[in-house]
Coordinates of all heavy atoms in Angstrom, one line a residue:
Chain A
Y5 N 23.7 15.7 -17.5 CA 23.0 15.4 -18.7 C 22.2 16.7 -18.9 O 22.3 17.3 -20.0 CB 22.2 14.1 -18.6 CG 21.4 14.0 -19.8 CD1 21.9 13.6 -21.0 CD2 19.9 14.2 -19.7 CE1 21.0 13.4 -22.1 CE2 19.1 14.1 -20.8 CZ 19.7 13.6 -22.1 OH 18.8 13.5 -23.0
D208 N -9.9 4.4 -5.2 CA -10.8 3.4 -4.4 C -9.8 2.8 -3.2 O -10.4 2.7 -2.2 CB -11.3 2.3 -5.3 CG -12.7 2.6 -5.8 OD1 -13.1 3.7 -5.5 OD2 -13.2 1.9 -6.8
R211 N -9.5 5.0 -0.5 CA -10.8 5.2 0.3 C -11.0 4.1 1.2 O -11.4 4.1 2.3 CB -12.0 5.2 -0.6 CG -12.3 6.7 -1.0 CD -13.7 6.8 -1.5 NE -13.7 8.2 -1.9 CZ -13.5 8.6 -3.3 NH1 -13.5 7.7 -4.2 NH2 -13.5 9.8 -3.5
K213 N -8.8 2.3 2.6 CA -8.1 2.5 3.8 C -8.8 3.1 4.8 O -8.2 3.2 6.0 CB -6.9 3.3 3.5 CG -5.7 2.5 3.0 CD -4.6 3.5 2.9 CE -3.6 3.2 1.8 NZ -2.6 4.4 1.7
G214 N -9.7 4.0 4.6 CA -10.3 4.8 5.6 C -10.0 6.2 5.6 O -10.3 7.0 6.4
R216 N -10.0 10.1 4.6 CA -11.0 11.1 4.5 C -11.1 11.5 3.0 O -10.1 11.7 2.3 CB -10.8 12.3 5.3 CG -11.1 12.1 6.7 CD -12.6 11.9 6.9 NE -13.0 11.2 8.1 CZ -13.0 11.7 9.3 NH1 -12.6 12.8 9.6 NH2 -13.2 10.7 10.2
K223 N -4.7 14.5 -1.9 CA -3.3 13.8 -1.7 C -3.2 12.7 -2.9 O -2.3 12.8 -3.7 CB -3.0 13.2 -0.5 CG -1.7 12.5 -0.4 CD -1.4 12.0 1.1 CE 0.0 11.4 1.2 NZ 0.2 10.7 2.4
H224 N -4.1 11.8 -3.0 CA -3.8 10.6 -3.8 C -4.3 10.9 -5.3 O -3.6 10.5 -6.1 CB -4.7 9.4 -3.2 CG -4.0 8.8 -1.9 ND1 -3.2 7.7 -2.3 CD2 -4.0 9.2 -0.7 CE1 -2.8 7.4 -1.0 NE2 -3.1 8.2 -0.2
N228 N -1.4 12.6 -8.7 CA -1.4 11.9 -9.9 C -1.8 12.9 -11.1 O -1.3 12.9 -12.1 CB -2.0 10.7 -9.9 CG -1.4 9.5 -9.2 OD1 -0.5 9.0 -9.8 ND2 -1.8 9.3 -8.1
Chain B
R51 N -18.1 -4.2 -2.4 CA -17.9 -2.6 -2.3 C -19.1 -2.1 -1.5 O -18.9 -1.2 -0.8 CB -17.9 -2.1 -3.7 CG -16.6 -2.2 -4.3 CD -16.5 -2.2 -5.8 NE -15.1 -2.3 -6.1 CZ -14.3 -1.2 -6.5 NH1 -14.7 0.0 -6.3 NH2 -13.1 -1.5 -6.8
E83 N -17.4 6.0 7.2 CA -15.9 6.1 6.9 C -15.1 5.6 8.0 O -14.0 5.1 7.7 CB -15.7 7.6 6.6 CG -14.8 8.0 5.5 CD -14.9 9.5 5.1 OE1 -14.9 10.4 6.0 OE2 -15.1 9.7 4.0
R86 N -14.3 2.0 7.6 CA -13.5 1.6 6.5 C -12.0 1.7 6.9 O -11.7 2.5 7.6 CB -13.6 2.7 5.5 CG -14.0 1.9 4.2 CD -14.4 2.7 3.0 NE -14.2 4.1 3.0 CZ -15.3 5.0 2.6 NH1 -16.4 4.5 2.5 NH2 -15.1 6.3 2.6
N102 N -1.0 3.4 -5.1 CA -0.8 4.8 -5.8 C 0.5 4.7 -6.4 O 1.5 4.5 -5.6 CB -1.1 5.7 -4.8 CG -1.2 7.1 -5.5 OD1 -0.6 7.2 -6.5 ND2 -2.1 8.0 -5.0
E109 N 5.2 4.7 2.6 CA 4.2 5.7 3.0 C 2.8 5.3 3.0 O 1.9 5.7 3.7 CB 4.3 6.9 1.8 CG 3.3 7.9 1.6 CD 3.3 8.9 2.9 OE1 4.3 9.0 3.6 OE2 2.3 9.6 3.1
Q110 N 2.4 4.4 1.9 CA 1.1 3.9 1.9 C 0.6 3.0 3.1 O -0.6 3.1 3.4 CB 0.9 3.3 0.6 CG 1.2 4.1 -0.7 CD 0.8 3.5 -2.1 OE1 -0.3 3.2 -2.1 NE2 1.6 3.7 -3.0
E113 N 0.2 5.4 6.1 CA -1.1 6.1 6.0 C -2.1 5.4 6.7 O -2.8 5.8 7.6 CB -1.4 6.4 4.7 CG -1.0 7.6 4.1 CD -1.8 7.7 2.7 OE1 -2.0 6.8 2.0 OE2 -1.9 9.0 2.2
Q124 N -7.9 13.2 11.0 CA -7.1 13.2 9.8 C -7.1 14.6 9.3 O -8.0 15.2 9.0 CB -7.7 12.3 8.7 CG -7.6 10.9 9.1 CD -8.3 10.0 8.0 OE1 -8.4 10.6 6.8 NE2 -8.9 8.9 8.2
F129 N -1.2 14.9 6.4 CA -1.0 13.7 5.5 C -0.3 14.1 4.3 O 0.4 13.3 3.6 CB -2.4 13.2 5.0 CG -2.9 12.0 6.0 CD1 -3.5 12.4 7.2 CD2 -2.8 10.7 5.6 CE1 -3.9 11.5 8.1 CE2 -3.2 9.7 6.5 CZ -3.8 10.1 7.8
I416 N 24.7 8.3 -22.3 CA 25.6 8.8 -21.4 C 25.9 7.8 -20.3 O 27.0 7.5 -19.9 CB 25.0 10.1 -20.6 CG1 25.1 11.3 -21.7 CG2 25.7 10.6 -19.5 CD1 24.4 12.5 -21.3

Side-chain angles (χ1 to χ4, degrees):
Chain A
Y5 176 73
D208 269 350
R211 265 199 194 102
K213 270 191 213 176
R216 283 293 148 78
K223 184 175 177 183
H224 284 260
N228 281 281
Chain B
R51 281 159 180 263
E83 217 163 49
R86 237 174 6 234
N102 196 326
E109 165 74 14
Q110 302 193 46
E113 266 189 335
Q124 297 176 23
F129 271 77
I416 293 183

